[in-house]
Amino acid sequence: MRTGLRTRVAVVGAGPAGLLLARLLHLHGIDCVVLESRGRAYVEQRQRAGILEQGTVDVLRRAGAADRLEREGLPHDGVELRFAGRRHRLDFPALTGGRRVWVYAQTEVVKDLIALQLAAGPPVLFEAPVHAVEGAQGESCTVRYTHEGRGRELTCDWVVGCDGFHGVVRSAVPAHARQVHERVYPYAWLGILADAPPVHDELIYAHSARGFALASMRSPTVSRLYLQVPVGTEPDAWPDARIWDELDTRFGADSDWRLTRGPVTQKAVLPMRSSVTEPMRYGRVLLAGDAAHIVPPTGAKGLNLAVSDVTVLARAFAHLEETGSAALLDAYSDDCLRRVWRAEHFSYFMTTTLHTAPNQSSFDTRLQLSQLERVAASPHAAAELAENYTGVPLPGEG
């Protein structure tokens, strides 16, 4: 391989955002190269979110990347809220005109996209860490990276950073040219994977005086479960039996309700924070996914926002190729940020309504319960939650 390459679009990061963007560009006949610092095995094993919005599934179908999703994904038509000893189900299709969500792990989405990438192109280079991005305000960009032990450079017209909050591409935007809005939450999640059948066929979100809990799944035989824990908690401080006992307590809408227990195969503590970087474009450098925004996991928006970003971006690149007009690229940041801030607000709402803050007052708790009662009693409030959960339309789709 030559030390110098040329492409139309350089995509940095082979997570779902970068891989899907490459797939969409390929379908539009636009040349691109994907650079990923990690090896393929590592990328395919990264555990992340597993809830796909209606719009995300629709995009994967159009990209030809949904065959296994259709066979193995678990469509969900609602979620259950538990609070104050009550159970209340939200019926998504009834509240949204037919929209739903799917449980299908991000790791599986990545595997599917990598298989398509390697079979049909465009090129993806694993173990190719990027060191610098130059020329953002010039006529072209240069991406400097290492591959197979040699320093290399990739010349391109555009660079898309899909390499996360700490990625090189985001740092290529000067501090004076970006504004970062952040919120750090005063609690974390202890998440586990367990070889145990899910307790329910839909997700359960539980508000309790002892803190939040969430029952999800990865398959009909594997449960994904979360507990709110203090910031700084070490996973080993929670033996398996303690986790199961606490989950039973927080979910218990009645004294007879119990989770099905099984071996815990993974255990990790997840921080809770929000972040938005504005704008999402600086000259020939564009940001997508976690490089531009982070949401707490309560609203299941992280992966779905990344898909939204690259869908809008692929449409903009296609428009440029077909018409010579950069109008959609010029509008990319504003178009995406409107949806990003809606998702940030929804994630904030879900997080602050369901979690118990340190030193929370009885007044604060009563406000939370009042809001949950409102969702349970009002079709309008329930529809607002359901519409945000299943995903507002992508820009240009209504």
Side-chain angles (χ1 to χ4, degrees):
M1 183 181 294
R2 302 189 305 273
T3 57
L5 294 175
R6 183 72 169 81
T7 192
R8 185 79 161 126
V9 181
V11 180
V12 182
L19 291 166
L20 180 59
L21 176 60
R23 175 66 179 171
L24 295 173
L25 292 178
H26 175 69
L27 293 175
H28 285 298
I30 299 171
D31 186 41
C32 75
V33 174
V34 180
L35 302 173
E36 167 57 47
S37 63
R38 302 281 194 163
R40 178 182 178 183
Y42 179 91
V43 171
E44 292 186 336
Q45 292 170 7
R46 283 187 290 211
Q47 293 293 326
R48 294 291 189 273
I51 304 295
L52 307 185
E53 294 176 357
Q54 178 75 59
T56 294
V57 173
D58 293 343
V59 170
L60 291 172
R61 285 169 173 161
R62 293 197 297 269
D67 289 351
R68 197 158 63 92
L69 165 61
E70 302 282 14
R71 296 194 307 270
E72 301 176 15
L74 305 174
H76 281 201
D77 287 336
V79 296
E80 181 176 288
L81 301 177
R82 293 194 179 187
F83 59 96
R86 291 187 53 185
R87 301 180 184 183
H88 179 78
R89 180 178 184 268
L90 294 173
D91 185 330
F92 289 159
L95 292 164
T96 64
R99 297 174 75 82
R100 61 196 333 197
V101 297
W102 277 255
V103 173
Y104 190 67
Q106 177 173 312
T107 51
E108 305 310 313
V109 174
V110 167
K111 289 175 186 176
D112 296 342
L113 289 169
I114 286 176
L116 284 172
Q117 188 94 350
L118 296 179
V124 54
L125 303 182
F126 292 104
E127 300 182 25
V130 171
H131 307 298
V133 175
E134 302 168 357
Q137 297 287 63
E139 295 299 315
S140 64
C141 286
T142 299
V143 180
R144 302 193 185 281
Y145 66 102
T146 299
H147 189 238
E148 296 178 338
R150 301 175 64 186
R152 303 173 187 271
E153 62 181 45
L154 176 64
T155 304
C156 55
D157 296 321
W158 305 93
V159 178
V160 182
C162 301
D163 53 341
F165 183 84
H166 298 290
V168 172
V169 179
R170 183 174 180 276
S171 66
V173 180
H176 69 80
R178 54 184 160 97
Q179 185 174 10
V180 181
H181 311 275
E182 291 186 297
R183 182 185 185 93
V184 178
Y185 294 88
Y187 29 71
W189 277 10
L190 173 64
I192 67 166
L193 276 176
D195 288 336
V199 69
H200 192 49
D201 57 2
E202 294 176 339
L203 274 66
I204 304 173
Y205 287 79
H207 173 284
S208 83
R210 297 177 65 88
F212 170 76
L214 170 62
S216 182
M217 62 204 69
R218 281 294 177 262
S219 74
T221 60
V222 177
S223 291
R224 183 70 161 151
L225 300 140
Y226 299 94
L227 283 170
Q228 176 188 338
V229 294
V231 172
T233 295
E234 292 293 333
D236 290 344
W238 282 78
D240 295 358
R242 182 187 178 193
I243 293 173
W244 290 114
D245 289 345
E246 188 66 21
L247 286 165
D248 279 339
T249 299
R250 297 190 193 184
F251 283 120
D254 56 61
S255 59
D256 296 329
W257 194 90
R258 292 289 183 275
L259 288 160
T260 303
R261 302 191 178 196
V264 174
T265 58
Q266 291 186 20
K267 190 186 305 183
V269 172
L270 314 174
M272 304 279 285
R273 69 188 182 101
S274 301
S275 175
V276 179
T277 297
E278 297 182 324
M280 292 172 59
R281 177 184 172 189
Y282 176 73
R284 294 184 174 274
V285 171
L286 304 109
L287 305 178
D290 286 356
H293 41 73
I294 294 170
V295 290
T298 326
K301 293 297 160 210
L303 169 61
N304 295 294
L305 276 181
V307 169
S308 172
D309 291 346
V310 299
T311 302
V312 173
L313 191 52
R315 187 185 303 146
F317 279 129
H319 183 72
L320 176 64
E321 291 294 309
E322 293 164 5
T323 69
S325 169
L328 294 186
L329 274 175
D330 293 339
Y332 165 71
S333 181
D334 288 342
D335 284 348
C336 286
L337 283 170
R338 279 190 289 272
R339 196 169 195 271
V340 166
W341 279 113
R342 174 88 301 274
E344 290 283 359
H345 186 270
F346 176 67
S347 299
Y348 166 83
F349 163 78
M350 291 288 284
T351 301
T352 56
T353 300
L354 291 166
H355 290 71
T356 302
N359 302 317
Q360 179 164 306
S361 70
S362 60
F363 184 88
D364 294 330
T365 300
R366 292 298 297 169
L367 289 179
Q368 291 176 322
L369 294 173
S370 175
Q371 181 60 55
L372 291 167
E373 291 282 0
R374 169 71 175 166
V375 171
S378 166
H380 299 291
E384 175 73 9
L385 194 157
E387 287 168 3
N388 280 277
Y389 197 96
T390 58
V392 298
L394 296 177
E397 295 185 357

